[in-house]
């Protein structure tokens, strides 16, 4: 493979599609949101939950969520605080509020049915470019460039010849993704999930299993001798001692309370009063916690 997708011959692009899709058909994980009977809502729920969260942590939360709220209208009829409560310990709980907001909009604007139109998906609260493309592709089998972290890493290595993509998605990456899309909707939708799965299982961020990769012989990064990353240092996310950890502890108290929570119940979860107050203020500002009265809080109603 060469440095840019646009210079690949049509035959080479088609061979690339066949190789990756063939690998996917043989190695894809059996995940519930990929089942033939998975609803568009189920696909949307999975996409919200899978952002920055491993599959093994999402699976039980996903099942519980759809058991309680099998349709957008079911979720929209409940309080947003219940979405935060059910989100549990998945992390980044603002996703729960955004998913609730999307459910309300779907119910009010689209008769309770997840829209198939990409622009309509993008107009939903909390739905960005990636999620709109993913739902349109995976739920409705449409032709869209779906660029998550896994896909970007596969393209960076196999096409561009670098170990990691840029920190933020670039215009060049988007062009590569569009240039590599198969011509038909169905094949493009399969290609999108196949490349994503390759990045998740084989072309991983740390310790890629290159010997098991179907693109080994054609990977630009391999052919260049696997040059090390030359960009800004990649820093792993810390958690211990951060405001994120404090926020999680405070939210855990509110989730478990099923009612009003007094300030004293929150004060015991973290010894640093300044950091604790900052974390609580952040939760209030994000709409995840509501002050009810002096020193009294609850999940949003």
């Amino acid at each position: 493979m060469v440095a840019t997708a646009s210079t690949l011959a049509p035959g080479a692009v088609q061979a690339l599609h066949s190789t990756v899709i063939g690998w996917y058909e043989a190695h894809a994980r059996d995940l519930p949101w990929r089942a033939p009977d998975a609803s568009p809502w189920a696909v949307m729920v999975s996409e919200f939950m899978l952002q920055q969260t491993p599959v093994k942590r999402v699976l039980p939360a996903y099942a519980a969520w759809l058991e309680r709220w099998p349709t957008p209208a079911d979720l929209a009829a409940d309080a947003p605080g219940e979405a935060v409560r059910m989100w549990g310990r998945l992390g980044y709980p603002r996703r729960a509020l955004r998913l609730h907001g999307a459910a309300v909009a779907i119910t009010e604007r689209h008769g309770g049915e997840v829209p198939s139109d990409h622009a309509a998906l993008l107009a939903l609260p909390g739905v960005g470019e990636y999620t709109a493309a993913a739902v349109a592709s995976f739920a409705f089998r449409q032709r869209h460039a779906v660029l998550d972290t896994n896909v970007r890493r596969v393209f960076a290595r196999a096409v561009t010849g670098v170990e990691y993509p840029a920190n933020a998605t670039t215009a060049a990456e988007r062009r590569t993704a569009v240039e590599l899309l198969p011509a038909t909707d169905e094949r493009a939708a399969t290609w999108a999930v196949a490349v994503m799965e390759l990045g998740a299982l084989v072309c991983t961020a740390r310790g890629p299993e290159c010997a098991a990769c179907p693109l080994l012989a054609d990977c630009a990064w391999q052919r260049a001798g696997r040059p090390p990353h030359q960009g800004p240092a990649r820093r792993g996310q810390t958690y211990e001692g951060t405001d994120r950890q404090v926020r999680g502890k405070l939210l855990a108290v509110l989730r478990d309370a099923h009612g009003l929570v007094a300030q004293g119940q929150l004060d015991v979860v973290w010894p640093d009063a300044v950091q604790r107050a900052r974390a609580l203020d952040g939760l209030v500002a994000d709409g995840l916690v509501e002050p009810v009265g002096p020193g009294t809080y609850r999940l949003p109603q």
Side-chain angles (χ1 to χ4, degrees):
M1 199 174 283
V2 290
T4 60
S6 60
T7 59
L8 288 173
V13 173
Q14 292 168 9
L16 176 66
H17 295 158
S18 296
T19 297
V20 174
I21 291 173
W23 173 88
Y24 174 76
E25 291 171 345
H27 298 91
R29 290 169 291 180
D30 182 15
L31 299 174
W33 45 84
R34 293 178 182 167
D37 61 348
S39 68
W41 171 241
V43 173
M44 176 173 281
V45 169
S46 75
E47 287 301 331
F48 270 78
M49 288 187 169
L50 287 165
Q51 295 167 21
Q52 299 177 291
T53 307
V55 165
K56 65 182 180 181
R57 290 184 58 204
V58 164
L59 284 169
Y62 168 87
W65 189 282
L66 289 179
E67 183 177 358
R68 180 169 179 178
W69 298 306
T71 70
D74 293 322
L75 176 56
D78 232 332
E82 289 306 300
V84 176
R85 194 188 314 281
M86 280 290 288
W87 199 257
R89 299 183 181 279
L90 281 180
Y92 303 99
R94 278 178 290 181
R95 292 179 293 170
L97 289 182
R98 291 167 183 159
L99 186 50
H100 184 274
V104 171
I106 291 167
T107 303
E108 294 177 348
R109 303 176 196 168
H110 303 287
E113 299 292 332
V114 175
S116 60
D117 179 69
H118 180 270
L121 286 166
L122 197 56
L124 295 174
V127 174
E129 178 58 40
Y130 164 77
T131 302
V135 173
S137 179
F138 303 151
F140 299 105
R141 311 303 293 172
Q142 296 176 9
R143 184 178 183 270
H144 293 280
V146 183
L147 269 174
D148 80 337
T149 302
N150 290 316
V151 174
R152 295 177 61 224
R153 187 169 56 254
V154 171
F155 288 165
R157 291 173 179 167
V159 178
T160 312
V162 297
E163 186 176 13
Y164 297 115
N167 289 334
T169 305
T170 66
E173 286 179 285
R174 293 190 178 91
R175 284 195 300 272
T176 294
V178 171
E179 289 166 359
L180 289 178
L181 272 177
T184 65
D185 283 2
E186 181 62 32
R187 194 161 175 82
T190 303
W191 161 256
V193 70
V195 178
M196 190 176 296
E197 190 79 334
L198 184 63
L201 298 183
V202 176
C203 193
T204 56
R206 298 180 180 86
E209 298 181 18
C210 297
C213 182
L215 300 180
L216 177 63
D218 297 313
C219 176
W221 185 52
Q222 285 286 339
R223 293 171 64 176
R226 294 179 52 150
H229 179 60
Q230 297 295 319
R234 297 171 57 82
R235 297 178 180 176
Q237 291 185 331
T238 58
Y239 183 72
E240 292 297 322
T242 64
D243 284 6
R244 238 185 97 216
Q245 184 182 19
V246 184
R247 284 164 61 103
K249 288 181 175 293
L250 294 171
L251 265 186
V253 174
L254 286 142
R255 283 199 309 269
D256 294 342
H258 293 276
L260 300 181
V261 171
Q263 183 72 54
Q265 295 171 264
L266 299 175
D267 289 345
V268 300
V269 306
W270 196 257
D272 185 331
V274 173
Q275 187 178 24
R276 190 177 63 242
R278 183 171 66 241
L280 182 58
D281 287 346
L283 290 170
V284 171
D286 289 340
L288 290 161
V289 173
E290 286 185 352
V292 180
T296 309
Y297 302 88
R298 69 183 179 191
L299 292 178
Q301 300 298 302

